[in-house]
Amino acid sequence: MTTQDKPQTPQPLSLSSIRVGSSQPAVLAEFYAKFFGRPADVHNGPFHMWLGSGTSFRVSDHSELNGPAKEPQRILLNFDTKDVKGEFERLKALGLTIIQEPYATGGRSDYWVATLADPDGNLVQLTTPLEMLAPLP
């Protein structure tokens, strides 16, 4: 058996960023500035980046994109917040597109989700952090 035939041990990976491509990055950046409650930490032409805890969220142009997301349910952008209902009300007051008001899910009364859509139709969810959930019996 050669070295090539032996299975390789995978190296630990960490998610460093999420990038959302768009034919209208300035419009998307305006939405996410409202969503995050602040302008992008980095802005260079069509590139916008918000720094987060251990990762970054990026919006930029992409030459092969045109129009809204064709399957917006394929990827859900989940953002944890300790107050799903309160954060939802803040975003609703800003006029962002609401898909689903906050609801408890997963058979739990303490796990909340609310869903919005960005201007390209990508689904963005507010979710309760998992560490806040009570242990299951």
Side-chain angles (χ1 to χ4, degrees):
M1 181 180 263
T2 68
T3 311
Q4 287 176 245
D5 297 334
K6 291 182 183 178
Q8 297 290 320
T9 303
Q11 297 299 309
L13 302 173
S14 63
L15 182 62
S16 62
S17 70
I18 298 289
R19 179 180 168 268
V20 177
S22 177
S23 60
Q24 54 176 2
V27 172
L28 235 53
E30 183 179 330
F31 169 90
Y32 285 105
K34 290 178 183 176
F35 184 83
F36 292 124
R38 68 185 207 277
D41 297 304
V42 177
H43 175 212
N44 184 9
F47 179 80
H48 306 264
M49 180 172 66
W50 289 262
L51 301 173
S53 26
T55 190
S56 65
F57 184 82
R58 305 165 184 207
V59 169
S60 66
D61 60 347
H62 194 290
S63 63
E64 296 182 24
L65 293 175
N66 190 14
K70 293 184 179 28
E71 294 181 295
Q73 299 83 0
R74 187 171 294 270
I75 295 177
L76 301 174
L77 303 171
N78 290 343
F79 293 92
D80 284 353
T81 177
K82 293 179 180 178
D83 184 9
V84 171
K85 294 176 189 174
E87 188 62 11
F88 172 81
E89 290 302 325
R90 180 185 76 83
L91 297 171
K92 183 177 177 181
L94 290 172
L96 301 188
T97 302
I98 305 304
I99 301 298
Q100 177 71 49
E101 298 217 2
Y103 61 97
T105 187
R108 304 183 62 111
S109 62
D110 58 350
Y111 184 64
W112 287 84
V113 174
T115 307
L116 300 95
D118 73 16
D120 277 359
N122 301 303
L123 297 182
V124 182
Q125 294 187 310
L126 302 171
T127 55
T128 302
L130 295 178
E131 60 269 11
M132 287 183 59
L133 302 182
L136 291 172

Coordinates of all heavy atoms in Angstrom, one line a residue, residues 82-134:
K82 N -29.8 36.5 22.1 CA -30.4 36.1 23.4 C -31.8 36.6 23.5 O -32.6 36.2 24.3 CB -29.6 36.7 24.5 CG -28.2 36.1 24.6 CD -27.4 36.6 25.7 CE -26.0 36.0 25.8 NZ -25.2 36.5 26.8
D83 N -32.2 37.5 22.6 CA -33.6 38.0 22.6 C -34.2 38.0 21.2 O -34.2 39.1 20.5 CB -33.6 39.5 23.2 CG -35.0 40.1 23.3 OD1 -36.0 39.3 23.1 OD2 -35.1 41.3 23.6
V84 N -34.6 36.9 20.7 CA -35.1 36.7 19.4 C -36.3 37.7 19.2 O -36.4 38.4 18.2 CB -35.5 35.3 19.1 CG1 -36.3 35.2 17.7 CG2 -34.3 34.4 19.0
K85 N -37.2 37.7 20.1 CA -38.5 38.5 20.0 C -38.1 40.0 19.9 O -38.6 40.8 19.1 CB -39.4 38.2 21.1 CG -40.0 36.8 21.1 CD -40.9 36.6 22.3 CE -41.3 35.2 22.4 NZ -42.1 34.9 23.6
G86 N -37.2 40.5 20.8 CA -36.9 41.9 20.9 C -36.1 42.3 19.6 O -36.4 43.4 19.1
E87 N -35.2 41.5 19.2 CA -34.4 41.8 18.0 C -35.3 41.8 16.7 O -35.2 42.6 15.8 CB -33.2 40.8 17.8 CG -32.3 41.2 16.7 CD -31.5 42.5 16.9 OE1 -31.6 43.1 18.0 OE2 -30.9 42.9 16.0
F88 N -36.2 40.9 16.7 CA -37.2 40.8 15.6 C -38.0 42.1 15.5 O -38.2 42.7 14.5 CB -38.1 39.6 15.8 CG -39.3 39.6 14.8 CD1 -39.1 39.2 13.5 CD2 -40.5 40.1 15.2 CE1 -40.1 39.2 12.6 CE2 -41.6 40.2 14.2 CZ -41.4 39.7 13.0
E89 N -38.5 42.6 16.7 CA -39.3 43.8 16.7 C -38.4 45.0 16.2 O -38.9 45.9 15.5 CB -39.8 44.1 18.1 CG -40.9 43.1 18.5 CD -42.1 43.1 17.6 OE1 -42.5 44.2 17.0 OE2 -42.7 42.0 17.4
R90 N -37.1 45.1 16.6 CA -36.3 46.1 16.1 C -36.2 46.1 14.6 O -36.3 47.1 13.9 CB -34.9 46.0 16.7 CG -33.9 47.1 16.3 CD -32.5 46.8 16.8 NE -31.8 45.8 16.1 CZ -31.1 45.9 14.9 NH1 -31.1 47.1 14.3 NH2 -30.5 44.9 14.3
L91 N -36.0 44.9 14.0 CA -35.8 44.8 12.6 C -37.1 45.0 11.8 O -37.1 45.7 10.8 CB -35.2 43.4 12.2 CG -33.8 43.1 12.8 CD1 -33.5 41.7 12.6 CD2 -32.8 44.0 12.1
K92 N -38.2 44.6 12.4 CA -39.5 44.8 11.8 C -39.8 46.4 11.8 O -40.3 46.9 10.8 CB -40.6 44.1 12.7 CG -42.0 44.3 12.1 CD -42.9 43.5 13.1 CE -44.4 43.6 12.6 NZ -45.3 42.8 13.5
A93 N -39.4 47.1 12.8 CA -39.6 48.5 12.8 C -38.8 49.2 11.8 O -39.2 50.3 11.3 CB -39.3 49.1 14.2
L94 N -37.7 48.6 11.4 CA -36.8 49.2 10.3 C -37.4 48.9 8.9 O -36.8 49.4 7.9 CB -35.4 48.6 10.4 CG -34.6 49.1 11.6 CD1 -33.3 48.4 11.7 CD2 -34.4 50.6 11.6
G95 N -38.5 48.1 8.8 CA -39.1 47.8 7.6 C -38.5 46.7 6.8 O -38.7 46.6 5.6
L96 N -37.7 45.8 7.5 CA -37.1 44.7 6.7 C -38.2 43.7 6.4 O -39.2 43.6 7.1 CB -36.0 44.1 7.6 CG -34.8 45.0 8.0 CD1 -33.7 44.3 8.6 CD2 -34.3 45.8 6.8
T97 N -37.9 42.9 5.4 CA -38.9 41.9 4.9 C -39.1 40.8 5.9 O -38.1 40.0 6.1 CB -38.5 41.4 3.5 OG1 -38.4 42.5 2.6 CG2 -39.6 40.4 3.0
I98 N -40.3 40.6 6.4 CA -40.6 39.5 7.4 C -41.1 38.3 6.6 O -42.1 38.5 5.9 CB -41.6 40.0 8.4 CG1 -41.1 41.3 9.1 CG2 -41.9 38.9 9.4 CD1 -39.8 41.3 9.8
I99 N -40.6 37.2 6.9 CA -41.1 35.9 6.4 C -41.9 35.2 7.4 O -43.0 34.7 7.1 CB -39.9 35.0 5.8 CG1 -39.1 35.7 4.8 CG2 -40.5 33.7 5.4 CD1 -39.9 36.1 3.5
Q100 N -41.4 35.1 8.6 CA -42.0 34.4 9.7 C -41.7 35.1 11.1 O -40.6 35.3 11.4 CB -41.6 32.9 9.8 CG -42.1 32.1 10.9 CD -43.6 31.8 10.7 OE1 -44.0 31.3 9.7 NE2 -44.4 32.0 11.7
E101 N -42.8 35.5 11.8 CA -42.6 36.1 13.1 C -42.0 35.0 14.0 O -42.1 33.8 13.7 CB -43.9 36.6 13.6 CG -44.5 37.7 12.6 CD -45.2 38.8 13.4 OE1 -45.3 38.8 14.6 OE2 -45.7 39.7 12.7
P102 N -41.5 35.5 15.2 CA -40.9 34.5 16.1 C -41.8 33.4 16.5 O -43.0 33.6 16.8 CB -40.5 35.4 17.3 CG -40.4 36.8 16.8 CD -41.4 36.8 15.7
Y103 N -41.3 32.2 16.6 CA -42.0 31.0 17.0 C -41.1 30.0 17.7 O -39.9 30.0 17.4 CB -42.7 30.3 15.8 CG -41.7 29.8 14.7 CD1 -41.3 28.5 14.7 CD2 -41.2 30.7 13.8 CE1 -40.5 28.0 13.7 CE2 -40.3 30.2 12.8 CZ -39.9 28.9 12.8 OH -39.1 28.5 11.9
A104 N -41.6 29.3 18.6 CA -40.9 28.2 19.3 C -40.9 27.0 18.4 O -41.9 26.7 17.7 CB -41.5 27.9 20.6
T105 N -39.8 26.3 18.3 CA -39.7 25.2 17.4 C -38.9 24.0 18.0 O -38.3 24.2 19.1 CB -39.1 25.6 16.0 OG1 -39.2 24.5 15.1 CG2 -37.7 26.1 16.2
G106 N -38.8 23.0 17.3 CA -38.0 21.8 17.7 C -38.6 21.1 18.9 O -37.9 20.4 19.6
G107 N -39.9 21.3 19.1 CA -40.6 20.6 20.2 C -40.2 21.2 21.5 O -40.3 20.6 22.6
R108 N -39.6 22.5 21.5 CA -39.1 23.1 22.7 C -39.8 24.5 22.9 O -40.1 25.2 21.9 CB -37.6 23.3 22.6 CG -36.8 22.1 22.4 CD -35.4 22.4 22.3 NE -35.0 22.9 23.6 CZ -34.2 22.3 24.5 NH1 -33.7 21.1 24.2 NH2 -33.9 22.8 25.6
S109 N -40.1 24.9 24.1 CA -40.6 26.2 24.4 C -39.6 27.2 24.5 O -39.9 28.4 24.6 CB -41.5 26.1 25.6 OG -40.7 25.8 26.8
D110 N -38.3 26.8 24.6 CA -37.2 27.8 24.8 C -36.3 28.0 23.6 O -35.3 28.8 23.7 CB -36.4 27.4 26.0 CG -35.7 26.0 25.9 OD1 -36.1 25.3 24.9 OD2 -34.9 25.7 26.7
Y111 N -36.6 27.4 22.5 CA -35.8 27.6 21.2 C -36.7 28.4 20.2 O -37.7 27.9 19.7 CB -35.4 26.3 20.6 CG -34.5 26.5 19.4 CD1 -33.3 27.1 19.6 CD2 -34.9 26.1 18.2 CE1 -32.4 27.3 18.5 CE2 -34.1 26.3 17.1 CZ -32.8 26.9 17.2 OH -32.0 27.1 16.1
W112 N -36.3 29.7 20.0 CA -37.1 30.6 19.2 C -36.3 30.9 17.9 O -35.1 31.0 17.8 CB -37.3 31.9 19.9 CG -38.3 31.7 21.0 CD1 -38.1 31.2 22.3 CD2 -39.7 31.9 20.9 NE1 -39.3 31.1 23.0 CE2 -40.3 31.5 22.1 CE3 -40.6 32.3 19.9 CZ2 -41.7 31.6 22.4 CZ3 -41.9 32.4 20.1 CH2 -42.5 32.1 21.4
V113 N -37.1 31.0 16.8 CA -36.6 31.4 15.5 C -37.6 32.4 14.9 O -38.8 32.3 15.0 CB -36.6 30.1 14.6 CG1 -36.2 30.4 13.1 CG2 -35.7 29.0 15.1
A114 N -37.0 33.4 14.1 CA -37.7 34.3 13.3 C -37.0 34.4 12.0 O -35.8 34.3 11.9 CB -37.8 35.7 14.0
T115 N -37.8 34.5 10.9 CA -37.1 34.5 9.6 C -37.5 35.8 8.8 O -38.6 36.2 8.8 CB -37.6 33.3 8.8 OG1 -37.4 32.1 9.5 CG2 -36.9 33.2 7.4
L116 N -36.4 36.4 8.2 CA -36.5 37.5 7.4 C -35.9 37.2 6.0 O -35.3 36.1 5.8 CB -35.7 38.7 8.0 CG -36.2 39.2 9.3 CD1 -35.4 38.5 10.4 CD2 -36.1 40.6 9.5
A117 N -36.1 38.1 5.0 CA -35.5 37.9 3.7 C -34.7 39.2 3.4 O -35.2 40.3 3.6 CB -36.5 37.6 2.6
D118 N -33.5 39.0 2.8 CA -32.7 40.1 2.4 C -33.2 40.5 1.0 O -34.1 39.9 0.4 CB -31.2 39.9 2.5 CG -30.6 38.9 1.5 OD1 -31.3 38.6 0.4 OD2 -29.5 38.5 1.6
P119 N -32.7 41.6 0.4 CA -33.2 42.1 -0.9 C -33.0 41.1 -2.0 O -33.7 41.2 -3.0 CB -32.5 43.4 -1.1 CG -32.1 43.9 0.2 CD -31.9 42.7 1.0
D120 N -32.1 40.2 -1.9 CA -31.9 39.1 -2.9 C -32.8 37.9 -2.7 O -32.7 37.0 -3.4 CB -30.4 38.7 -3.0 CG -29.6 39.7 -3.9 OD1 -30.2 40.6 -4.4 OD2 -28.4 39.4 -4.0
G121 N -33.5 37.9 -1.6 CA -34.4 36.8 -1.3 C -33.8 35.7 -0.4 O -34.4 34.7 -0.1
N122 N -32.5 35.9 0.0 CA -31.8 35.0 0.9 C -32.5 35.0 2.2 O -32.9 36.1 2.7 CB -30.4 35.3 1.1 CG -29.6 35.4 -0.2 OD1 -29.6 34.4 -0.9 ND2 -29.0 36.5 -0.5
L123 N -32.7 33.8 2.9 CA -33.4 33.8 4.1 C -32.4 34.0 5.3 O -31.3 33.4 5.3 CB -34.1 32.5 4.3 CG -35.3 32.2 3.3 CD1 -36.0 30.9 3.5 CD2 -36.3 33.4 3.3
V124 N -32.8 34.8 6.2 CA -31.9 35.2 7.3 C -32.8 34.9 8.6 O -33.9 35.4 8.7 CB -31.5 36.7 7.3 CG1 -30.6 37.0 8.4 CG2 -30.9 37.0 5.9
Q125 N -32.2 34.1 9.5 CA -33.0 33.8 10.7 C -32.3 34.3 12.0 O -31.1 34.3 12.1 CB -33.1 32.3 10.8 CG -34.0 31.7 9.7 CD -34.3 30.2 9.9 OE1 -33.4 29.4 10.1 NE2 -35.5 29.9 9.8
L126 N -33.1 34.7 12.9 CA -32.7 35.0 14.3 C -33.0 33.7 15.1 O -34.1 33.2 15.0 CB -33.5 36.2 14.8 CG -33.4 37.5 14.1 CD1 -34.4 38.5 14.6 CD2 -32.0 38.0 14.2
T127 N -32.0 33.3 15.8 CA -32.2 32.0 16.6 C -31.7 32.2 18.0 O -30.8 32.9 18.3 CB -31.4 30.8 15.9 OG1 -30.1 31.2 15.8 CG2 -32.0 30.5 14.5
T128 N -32.3 31.4 18.9 CA -31.8 31.3 20.3 C -30.5 30.6 20.3 O -30.4 29.5 19.7 CB -32.9 30.6 21.2 OG1 -34.1 31.2 21.0 CG2 -32.4 30.5 22.6
P129 N -29.5 31.1 21.0 CA -28.2 30.4 21.1 C -28.5 29.0 21.8 O -29.2 28.9 22.8 CB -27.4 31.3 22.0 CG -28.0 32.6 21.9 CD -29.5 32.4 21.7
L130 N -27.9 28.0 21.3 CA -28.1 26.6 21.9 C -27.7 26.6 23.3 O -28.3 25.8 24.1 CB -27.3 25.6 21.0 CG -27.7 25.4 19.6 CD1 -26.9 24.4 18.9 CD2 -29.2 25.1 19.5
E131 N -26.6 27.3 23.7 CA -26.2 27.3 25.1 C -27.3 27.8 26.1 O -27.2 27.6 27.3 CB -24.9 28.0 25.3 CG -24.8 29.4 25.0 CD -24.4 29.7 23.6 OE1 -24.4 28.8 22.7 OE2 -24.2 30.9 23.2
M132 N -28.2 28.5 25.6 CA -29.3 29.1 26.4 C -30.4 28.1 26.7 O -31.3 28.3 27.5 CB -29.9 30.3 25.8 CG -29.0 31.5 25.9 SD -29.8 33.0 25.3 CE -31.2 33.2 26.3
L133 N -30.4 27.0 25.9 CA -31.5 26.0 26.0 C -31.4 25.2 27.3 O -30.3 24.8 27.7 CB -31.5 25.1 24.8 CG -31.7 25.8 23.4 CD1 -31.7 24.7 22.3 CD2 -32.9 26.7 23.4
A134 N -32.5 24.9 27.9 CA -32.6 24.0 29.1 C -32.2 22.6 28.6 O -32.6 22.2 27.5 CB -33.9 24.1 29.7

